Amino acid sequence: MHLAFAPRSILYALVLVVATYLLYVTFVIDHSLESLPHSAPPSQQEIFPEVSSEEWACRADQVKQGFKHAYHSYEKYAAPYDELLPITHGKINNFNGWGVTAFDSLDTMLIMDLQHEFERALGIVARANFSVSSDRAFVPYFETVIRYLGGLLGAYALSHEKLLLDRADELAMILDGVFDSASGLPFYGVNPASGKPEGSELGILAEMATLQLEYTYLAKLTGKKDYFNHANNVMRTLYSADLHETGGMLPVIWNLTSGTPVDTHLSVGSQADSTHEYLLKQYLLTGQTDKASLEMYVQATTFIITHLLFISPKRHLLYVTDTIGSTYKEAGTSMHTFEHLSCFLPGLLALGAHLLPLDNLASLGVDILNLRGRDGAYGHASKGYRQLASWNLKKVHLWAAEGLAQTCYLTYADQASGLGADEMVFGKWSGSKAQAKDHSYDESYSWIRAMETWRQSGSRGPPPGVGDKAPIVHTEAEAMSGWTKRDYVMKKWSYLLRPETVESLFILWRVTGDVKWRHRGWKIFEAIERETKTPSGYGSPRSVGRSPAPLDDNMPSYFLAETLKYLYLLFNDEELIPLDRWVFNTEAHPFPVFEWTEHEKTMFNL
Ligand code: DMJ
């Protein structure tokens, strides 16, 4: 039959077939990772020049000079206010008005051997009045703990300066009213004068469960049982929570009266990050004795590895994301956003792989299929636990760490400014509800699935997502013109002087000894110097896609507490703060690993 004479319905049918085929080619074949291990882009190692140990020492010194520039500017224009406004030479009280930059910087000064700055900062610490002005009725608990209390304790650990411990003890007592909930989990804030707690019955995971390291160390130093109990109560509450709905992962929102989770939104980045971090670090701080923390860490990382790690379509970049939804089914739906905040994860995984017998957890009495005595029964997630149980966990954690750290670094190296954006979206993700319900995308790009295919193929190449990749540099205009070869688009363009990526580079350098992590850190420091330095401090680039980058007028205290500290430690050859003897709190304040004495065990009912 000649086509021209075909009935209209046959023509429609043909058009339909062709259109379906085109859609299939665009959305299904393009998404399929069946051939992922074989089609992985070849490893494209960046070539870095030989650098002598004298040169690394000189680089460490340049970071120290950068710190001096930032802190001297703070002293000149802002102290004893909280933070410096580095463009207008101004000052701001945005964290209680007690001089947060001075408190947060104390132990960085000690590590960098800046004795004069330390002595001057002690004056600010001594004079700080732990109250609030009448226009602010309360202090935010989480930030006060990680920056002020953590800063005092880290500096005490390194100096044994009595004033620091006295003030830490005084501050913790002033904050104590925050625990006045039925569950004993802390409220959002507290009025330091009246002790009255502030905030709703609903708590955010990171804000209510990031105190264990600070309070446990403070209990060790003071012998006070109350501090121990606060930390212990948080850990026991997390441990006894029913997490079937979320596959064993701690969700973001909790009820402070009942001490139970109330949603299924899962995050590795904002609102959750430091709680996952403290599961491992609490175990390490207490001389590897708190088995409940270890089990929770294995559980959280198992869920993350099997449900929240994905690999991008063309460059095969490994990334970690969050989920949306209010039921478990939806909770399995990934958003494919990737936050700068999540870039602490590669460092954490590398630290755990380095210090834990992950390839022989049985030696510690831990069974991945029977975590918390629950027989691995985590609904839809159980398959993931069984899947991971068949792998060498030490290797998998280290591979994930290397792949994620490589991606975190590339999100800097890909930009015109050489700095990393605060948030990106990976893949062909539209963010629409319809796509959220389409699980085929998640299945196609799941890292653990790609790993299974890689294992079955017997490939000798690196696992999917692991191995070096070349940067693809785009200007802001290019990056805004739609989907690019980079596999991701920007969601938040700013670089807020954050530490997470250099933190992970530092840990990977210490753990693997591979100098590429140091070189990458140096490139980032060069970009910080080039793009963010002002005559009076360092500003925060509004768009990483531009060079020179337009700057916002703020210099967060964590830039001195964390970003510059980790960069200094990365370049310094002296192995200061060995990872097996010190644990960094989430604001990079180092606490020494310890063991409980028999007397303490009796006192704390251990
Ligand atoms: C820091 O204050 C801490 O690391 C916190 O846990 C979250 N991130 C900020 C800096 O990005």
Side-chain angles (χ1 to χ4, degrees), residues 63 66-67 69 340 412 417-420 495-499 502 520-534 537-541 549 551 559 563-564 567 571:
V63 178
F67 177 89
H69 174 67
H340 192 292
Y412 283 63
S417 65
L419 295 168
Y495 169 60
L496 303 176
L497 298 173
R498 286 195 194 278
V502 295
R520 290 170 177 175
W522 177 246
K523 288 205 122 184
I524 291 174
F525 180 67
E526 284 184 311
I528 289 174
E529 286 290 285
R530 186 179 63 240
E531 304 288 341
T532 76
K533 201 169 195 168
T534 75
Y538 292 81
S540 307
L551 298 179
F559 178 64
T563 312
L564 293 175
L567 283 165
F571 306 140

Side-chain angles (χ1 to χ4, degrees), residues 307-324:
H307 290 79
L308 300 179
L309 288 193
F310 293 91
I311 183 154
S312 75
K314 298 188 194 106
R315 292 169 88 187
H316 297 175
L317 303 180
L318 184 61
Y319 63 95
V320 63
T321 193
D322 299 350
T323 68
I324 52 171

